[in-house]
Amino acid sequence: MPRNILYVEDNQDAIAFFSRVVNKLGDYNFVTREDGTSAISLLEEKKDFTPEMILLDINLPGMNGFEILQYVRSKTAYKHVPVIMFTSSDDNGDVQKSYEYGANAYLIKPDSLQSLKEVLQDTFNFWLKHNVA
Amino acid sequence: MENTFTADLTNCDREPIHIPGFVQSHGFLLALTPGTFLINKASLNTKEFLDKDAQSLISQPLSTLEKNIVPAKAGSTLMDLIRLATITSNLEQINPQPVLVNGKEMLFVIHQYLDQIICEFEPMQSSDDTITLQKLMSTSLSVIQSSVTFDELLQHVSKLVKEITGYSRIMIYKFHKDQHGEVIAEANDEHLESWLHLHYPASDIPSQARELYKLNLVRIIADVNSTPSGLISSPENKKPLDLTHSVLRSVSPIHIEYLKNMEVGASFSISLISKGELWGLIACHNSTARFIDYNSRVACKFIGQLFSAALEFKYAEDAEEKSTNYRDKQQQLLEQLMKGDDPVKSLINSEVNLLDINTATGVVFFYEGKQYRLGEVPPETEVDDLIAWVRKHEHSNFFQTSTLPLQYPAAKKLSSVASGIMVTEISHEFSEYIIWFKPEMIKTVDWAGQQEKDTSVSEDGSLRISPRKSFAKWTQEVKFNSDEWSNNEIAAAIKLREDLIQVINKKAGEIRKLNELLKEAYDELDTFSFTISHDLRTPLSSIKNYTEIIMEDHGSQLDEEAKFLFGKVIIAADKMAGLIRDVLQYSRVGRAELATDPVDMKKMLAEIREELITPGKEKDVILEIKNTPDVCGDKTMILQLFTNLVNNAVKYSTLPTQIARVSVNGEVEDGFVTYTIEDNGIGIDMRYANRIFELFKRMDNVKKIEGTGVGLAIAKRIVEKHDGKIWLESRLNHGTKFYVSLPIK
């Protein structure tokens, strides 16, 4: 059974690289949303898709990644879903804020596909296992 | 003889000139005892007028003379006039009374002083010569009122006095502060040489004469060459007669001698009083004897009084006009200052400049380390020395003198331009001043005759000093004196200082404002570079990743050259990503709020070592960490600072033949923690040492080593953010020692 992953990202290139890498990693069912509002309405529906892990970009149109994170953590149903901040920002403040609001990990987007593959593999392995346990 | 005092120049200050014991012989005098009206004193020349010996009159009642002296007005007696005089308070209404003395017309003048009724009889001029008093007075009044300027007033008054007196030389004398006199206006017969601006020594008019001049406003010596007539007294009244208010009073023989030396035949003077002090005199000379009748003297006295009143008014007006002129110029100067942004241009190179607000002949403006010079001024180095002297000797912000060379001997050689200076300090800190200069006034003192006392040996062999005989113009070399700085000049200089400081402060305020704007722009630039770098990362990452996909998915379709070129794209993208990362860090330091916490340096340096010396590299690098005092600051930034410096030390230590030796050591001293990071690397050319902290600046000898040229710029920025210092010592191919000094909070 494929694992459900939600990835909120507005950059189409980033989504393209992500899907390319993830598709090679194994049996993952990932859904992407381009902004906070559509991501939240997906989560509200609760019917077809329940994510087992959420990846959030920080700089998004409308709501930013932190706001989505806060929403996720405020909902009982998603309280324990691993949330990974997935961003190109290496700003200390962003890192601190992420953990403060309840992110499980802070992942800086690597700039090569190989690194991306490695990083995502490690992350998935760790956090999806963790969730199951 | 009543008076045995012998006067000469050594004692003329003490000569009792109010009791000379003589009267001038053109008239005669009788003194009466009040109440009894007995004659107690008479001038010895009564016989000439009354045909009676003076001796025969003494102790006689005045009525003895009733037949000899008859009032011109019919029906009254001499006694009637005297009785009237003793009860009236205003003698001006009585004096003078025309009388017939043994049939000859004379004027009778009476006054009472110190328990004596003094009756004087003087000649009456023929009616042709006599102008009515009323006419004289109205003429005088209109002349004085019509004078617009002070100079005009002087001219009009001297001409008027000349007309009334008919004397050949009329001079208006002004007394200077030191009591010496100067001729400031004259009206002369054409053949006479001008004495205008001649100066007379103070001793020419002794102080008690000045006092008398204040009481007795007009005095005549009708005939310098006539012999004065002595006074005879009754046995009961030997006390010398006080002639302070007498019209016939004889003057000091020494004064007569003085006039004779001047070849004067008759002398008349009118006192000019200002604010209760003798301001000057209108001195009138005639080469021959010349009497001026009572009415003309009264008219002259009136002119003197009018002039005195005008003096206070007009002179004040004149000073006011000058100061208004200076004030206008000052106002203009201030406007120039406000309008322009360069005080030098406004004060020196403009229509109105620093020389227009006073009588100075030169000025130097010290501003921003330079001298700006106008008019007659000493050489630049001399002015520097002078300012150094002023700074040392004057502790207030204003200084003025009119005798500079006497106080500052180095100015003796500059006396022709700098005998007087006025200095106003704009800024002590920046040594900014305005100095005005005035020349020595050597040329301006023309004495009437040499001031040294002439001496002659008298018959008994004793040395006697007599009034000088020569009145030829003599210029005295008054050394090292300039004209004095007037109150107006001083006030203008002080006011200008205030204005200038205000303008400079305003400019400073503008600079502060610009500074704020600059800071804002700087912050904006940081935000800009941060944002743009951040935004560049995503597309750059796309470039790289798509290139990777091309290589991965379509590599088999590419020839070797295409693969090689795509490889270059990836390398370039990586390099650019590195640059972006560094620029981001650099701008982040600028934007960051500074946290100041104690930083555990021992721990931090250990972490840096761990990062740096990865397994397998131990043999290439020896990193020695010595003293590690804690510092205060933003932990992230301090980490970055030391990471950059230590990494650099290791990176540029790579001389091919040797092991990189890097040592880090901290010392605490004078409120600063100073760390040194020393390496044995390739070194930095110290000629460019100041440039290595610039953004993107890399030295020629490191071109082959990877780097973006941002690391040291970030380091410097972090240090400056912490109010610290960073500097270095280096020798090419020997090594570099970086110093970082941070304040202990």
Side-chain angles (χ1 to χ4, degrees):
Chain A
M1 197 154 142
R3 314 296 297 263
N4 284 345
I5 296 166
L6 170 63
Y7 179 26
V8 188
E9 170 65 75
D10 63 322
N11 185 310
Q12 293 307 315
D13 290 340
I15 293 168
F17 303 138
F18 181 83
S19 65
R20 180 185 168 92
V21 167
V22 171
N23 286 334
K24 288 179 181 171
L25 281 180
D27 195 9
Y28 295 102
N29 174 34
F30 69 87
V31 172
T32 59
R33 285 294 181 271
E34 284 182 32
D35 58 64
T37 317
S38 59
I40 284 167
S41 53
L42 177 78
L43 293 174
E44 294 272 316
E45 282 167 21
K46 284 185 202 172
K47 287 169 190 168
D48 313 326
F49 180 81
T50 308
E52 290 166 73
M53 183 168 77
I54 301 171
L55 283 96
L56 294 175
D57 187 14
I58 291 174
N59 291 315
L60 290 165
M63 291 171 82
N64 65 25
F66 301 123
E67 289 166 307
I68 304 170
L69 173 60
Q70 279 171 297
Y71 167 82
V72 170
R73 286 296 177 242
S74 69
K75 296 286 162 185
T76 345
Y78 304 111
K79 221 173 205 161
H80 304 291
V81 175
V83 177
I84 315 296
M85 305 309 285
F86 191 45
T87 172
S88 55
S89 162
D90 57 357
D91 189 272
N92 257 346
D94 286 352
V95 178
Q96 270 177 22
K97 233 190 231 176
S98 301
Y99 287 116
E100 215 171 283
Y101 294 153
N104 297 84
Y106 188 94
L107 206 60
I108 296 171
K109 287 175 187 166
D111 62 356
S112 83
L113 289 174
Q114 184 55 40
S115 314
L116 180 65
K117 193 175 154 190
E118 286 163 14
V119 161
L120 286 179
Q121 187 154 33
D122 289 350
T123 305
F124 290 0
N125 285 347
F126 185 82
W127 288 107
L128 288 175
K129 254 183 217 160
H130 193 263
N131 192 32
V132 169
Chain B
M1 287 288 150
E2 281 190 341
N3 187 349
T4 53
F5 187 92
T6 307
D8 58 38
L9 265 185
T10 61
N11 62 8
C12 66
D13 259 8
R14 295 181 315 249
E15 187 186 355
I17 57 174
H18 61 294
I19 45 168
F22 290 90
V23 294
Q24 296 182 56
S25 53
H26 61 272
F28 66 97
L29 178 145
L30 301 170
L32 312 178
T33 307
T36 62
F37 300 108
L38 292 176
I39 298 168
N40 65 60
K41 284 177 203 293
S43 61
L44 285 168
N45 60 349
T46 49
K47 190 166 173 76
E48 233 179 89
F49 297 94
L50 297 166
D51 203 25
K52 282 178 196 278
D53 272 342
Q55 187 64 55
S56 67
L57 296 173
I58 293 299
S59 301
Q60 297 298 308
L62 187 68
S63 49
T64 323
L65 293 170
E66 265 189 340
K67 293 218 168 96
N68 301 82
I69 305 170
V70 183
K73 249 184 247 168
S76 63
T77 65
L78 184 59
M79 269 316 291
D80 293 338
L81 287 179
I82 290 168
R83 281 205 189 88
L84 181 63
T86 56
I87 57 164
T88 182
S89 57
N90 190 357
L91 288 171
E92 305 261 340
Q93 287 177 350
I94 294 171
N95 288 329
Q97 288 291 337
V99 290
L100 292 168
V101 178
N102 282 358
K104 193 185 169 202
E105 277 190 320
M106 287 191 93
L107 286 176
F108 169 48
V109 180
I110 179 169
H111 76 279
Q112 202 169 346
Y113 188 58
L114 300 178
D115 226 21
Q116 289 280 15
I117 297 167
I118 298 164
C119 304
E120 293 171 280
F121 300 86
E122 63 167 48
M124 183 151 100
Q125 279 175 322
S126 68
S127 52
D128 295 348
D129 291 357
T130 314
I131 317 161
T132 68
L133 189 58
Q134 201 181 1
K135 198 181 164 200
L136 276 174
M137 289 199 173
S138 69
T139 311
S140 309
L141 196 58
S142 70
V143 159
I144 285 175
Q145 278 176 337
S146 69
S147 305
V148 177
T149 65
F150 185 63
D151 283 341
E152 229 173 87
L153 177 70
L154 292 173
Q155 289 311 315
H156 288 162
V157 166
S158 47
K159 268 186 202 141
L160 187 63
V161 171
K162 187 163 191 335
E163 272 170 35
I164 295 169
T165 60
Y167 273 36
S168 53
R169 182 189 288 279
I170 312 296
M171 295 173 282
I172 301 183
Y173 238 53
K174 177 186 188 298
F175 294 125
H176 287 272
K177 276 181 195 161
D178 65 356
Q179 303 287 310
H180 92 266
E182 182 188 350
V183 178
I184 58 168
E186 60 181 3
N188 300 332
D189 281 354
E190 273 176 20
H191 66 278
L192 293 175
E193 66 168 325
S194 168
W195 287 357
L196 194 62
H197 299 310
L198 278 187
H199 292 245
Y200 289 80
S203 60
D204 276 13
I205 303 171
S207 59
Q208 83 282 33
R210 286 170 203 265
E211 285 307 309
L212 210 52
Y213 286 176
K214 278 154 72 175
L215 294 173
N216 208 338
L217 298 178
V218 289
R219 294 145 316 269
I220 183 168
I221 303 163
D223 184 357
V224 168
N225 295 302
S226 74
T227 310
S229 180
L231 294 176
I232 189 166
S233 302
S234 69
E236 309 83 54
N237 199 330
K238 287 286 184 192
K239 215 171 112 192
L241 186 61
D242 189 317
L243 294 177
T244 298
H245 297 284
S246 156
V247 295
L248 288 175
R249 180 174 64 86
S250 176
V251 299
S252 157
I254 208 159
H255 184 55
I256 295 291
E257 199 177 338
Y258 179 90
L259 292 172
K260 281 180 178 167
N261 289 341
M262 250 195 222
E263 293 168 356
V264 168
S267 163
F268 177 59
S269 65
I270 306 163
S271 305
L272 300 173
I273 313 279
S274 173
K275 293 174 181 143
E277 288 304 316
L278 190 66
W279 179 90
L281 288 176
I282 304 175
C284 313
H285 292 166
N286 201 47
S287 49
T288 57
R290 186 176 173 90
F291 178 71
I292 302 164
D293 75 355
Y294 193 89
N295 277 352
S296 298
R297 295 203 313 271
V298 168
C300 288
K301 183 170 145 187
F302 179 65
I303 291 169
Q305 285 169 321
L306 280 179
F307 184 91
S308 295
L311 200 60
E312 297 195 2
F313 177 67
K314 290 270 181 193
Y315 215 45
E317 211 175 50
D318 218 49
E320 175 73 12
E321 192 184 318
K322 268 182 195 155
S323 100
T324 304
N325 183 35
Y326 287 151
R327 259 207 299 278
D328 287 351
K329 297 281 188 191
Q330 226 179 315
Q331 186 57 33
Q332 219 171 320
L333 211 54
L334 177 62
E335 277 164 22
Q336 284 172 189
L337 266 175
M338 294 296 209
K339 261 186 250 161
D341 36 73
D342 178 9
V344 175
K345 189 167 178 282
S346 308
L347 297 179
I348 302 286
N349 305 320
S350 285
E351 195 188 327
V352 172
N353 62 45
L354 286 175
L355 283 182
D356 292 322
I357 61 166
N358 54 39
T359 60
T361 47
V363 67
V364 173
F365 179 30
F366 275 83
Y367 188 67
E368 292 180 338
K370 271 189 177 167
Q371 282 189 24
Y372 298 92
R373 301 146 61 82
L374 277 180
E376 295 284 308
V377 293
E380 217 166 308
T381 52
E382 301 288 354
V383 181
D384 281 336
D385 293 347
L386 174 60
I387 272 299
W389 177 80
V390 171
R391 279 173 77 91
K392 205 169 150 194
H393 286 85
E394 180 58 45
H395 300 292
S396 82
N397 53 37
F398 184 80
F399 172 75
Q400 61 91 11
T401 175
S402 56
T403 56
L404 180 67
L406 302 179
Q407 297 167 50
Y408 173 59
K412 280 186 177 162
K413 59 180 186 293
L414 314 172
S415 63
S416 63
V417 290
S419 280
I421 60 166
M422 180 162 69
V423 185
T424 180
E425 180 186 278
I426 309 302
S427 159
H428 190 81
E429 195 187 347
F430 298 114
S431 200
E432 291 179 342
Y433 295 87
I434 300 173
I435 318 175
W436 284 274
F437 295 93
K438 273 188 187 180
E440 199 167 30
M441 65 163 190
I442 242 180
K443 301 150 213 155
T444 61
V445 183
D446 293 334
W447 291 104
Q450 203 149 347
Q451 211 181 346
E452 273 107 46
K453 287 163 179 170
D454 290 358
T455 55
S456 57
V457 181
S458 59
E459 281 165 19
D460 62 358
S462 66
L463 195 66
R464 189 181 134 88
I465 299 168
S466 63
R468 60 184 193 277
K469 292 192 167 67
S470 161
F471 282 87
K473 185 168 111 179
W474 177 66
T475 300
Q476 191 191 9
E477 299 233 329
V478 176
K479 278 287 199 190
F480 308 134
N481 271 270
S482 74
D483 273 340
E484 285 177 16
W485 299 96
S486 74
N487 289 340
N488 281 333
E489 289 177 309
I490 290 169
I494 289 170
K495 172 74 165 39
L496 179 72
R497 175 178 184 273
E498 297 303 308
D499 290 343
L500 187 54
I501 285 173
Q502 194 191 356
V503 167
I504 288 172
N505 282 348
K506 194 167 154 269
K507 297 273 181 268
E510 278 163 20
I511 286 166
R512 266 197 292 278
K513 230 180 271 167
L514 276 177
N515 222 5
E516 296 280 311
L517 284 177
L518 194 63
K519 206 168 155 260
E520 249 170 62
Y522 204 63
D523 287 348
E524 248 171 59
L525 190 65
D526 270 335
T527 305
F528 171 78
S529 51
F530 183 83
T531 311
I532 200 143
S533 306
H534 203 274
D535 290 353
L536 279 173
R537 277 213 293 218
T538 310
L540 182 63
S541 168
S542 296
I543 291 169
K544 187 180 173 187
N545 290 351
Y546 284 122
T547 313
E548 285 174 329
I549 292 170
I550 292 169
M551 299 273 270
E552 227 175 274
D553 292 3
H554 310 284
S556 56
Q557 288 160 262
L558 297 173
D559 59 22
E560 283 311 305
E561 200 189 350
K563 279 187 203 166
F564 174 76
L565 293 175
F566 279 120
K568 285 279 184 195
V569 172
I570 289 169
I571 289 168
D574 283 343
K575 198 170 177 183
M576 187 166 164
L579 255 174
I580 288 173
R581 188 188 57 237
D582 285 350
V583 171
L584 268 172
Q585 278 182 344
Y586 180 81
S587 49
R588 194 176 286 145
V589 173
R591 277 154 49 95
E593 291 293 320
L594 192 70
T596 44
D597 304 313
V599 178
D600 183 344
M601 289 301 288
K602 193 177 177 183
K603 195 176 154 204
M604 180 180 280
L605 287 166
E607 281 170 15
I608 291 171
R609 181 215 287 271
E610 210 170 296
E611 280 279 308
L612 191 71
I613 307 175
T614 45
K617 260 187 135 185
E618 297 97 331
K619 283 182 185 169
D620 302 331
V621 181
I622 297 170
L623 176 57
E624 190 188 359
I625 295 169
K626 296 176 182 170
N627 293 328
T628 56
D630 288 354
V631 301
C632 254
D634 186 291
K635 198 179 171 192
T636 317
M637 285 195 214
I638 299 293
L639 173 64
Q640 188 164 16
L641 168 66
F642 280 89
T643 304
N644 284 7
L645 289 175
V646 174
N647 275 351
N648 267 6
V650 172
K651 193 156 125 192
Y652 300 116
S653 281
T654 50
L655 278 177
T657 51
Q658 62 190 52
I659 297 167
R661 282 175 189 277
V662 177
S663 74
V664 179
N665 185 39
E667 300 286 349
V668 180
E669 201 178 47
D670 298 335
F672 280 84
V673 181
T674 304
Y675 269 88
T676 51
I677 298 99
E678 191 171 6
D679 66 52
N680 62 339
I682 58 173
I684 293 161
D685 189 337
M686 286 304 282
R687 283 178 298 170
Y688 310 114
N690 60 329
R691 303 200 60 192
I692 65 160
F693 295 108
E694 288 174 21
L695 200 54
F696 305 124
K697 181 60 68 187
R698 301 196 73 212
M699 296 290 112
D700 287 341
N701 60 343
V702 300
K703 284 276 156 53
K704 284 177 188 159
I705 302 169
E706 281 280 326
T708 57
V710 183
L712 284 177
I714 292 173
K716 187 171 168 65
R717 224 176 180 194
I718 290 171
V719 170
E720 282 176 352
K721 192 109 182 169
H722 285 80
D723 297 322
K725 289 179 288 183
I726 181 166
W727 70 101
L728 73 146
E729 290 164 4
S730 186
R731 273 180 73 198
L732 276 176
N733 301 322
H734 279 81
T736 303
K737 200 171 180 180
F738 273 96
Y739 294 84
V740 169
S741 192
L742 299 171
I744 298 168
K745 230 196 165 179

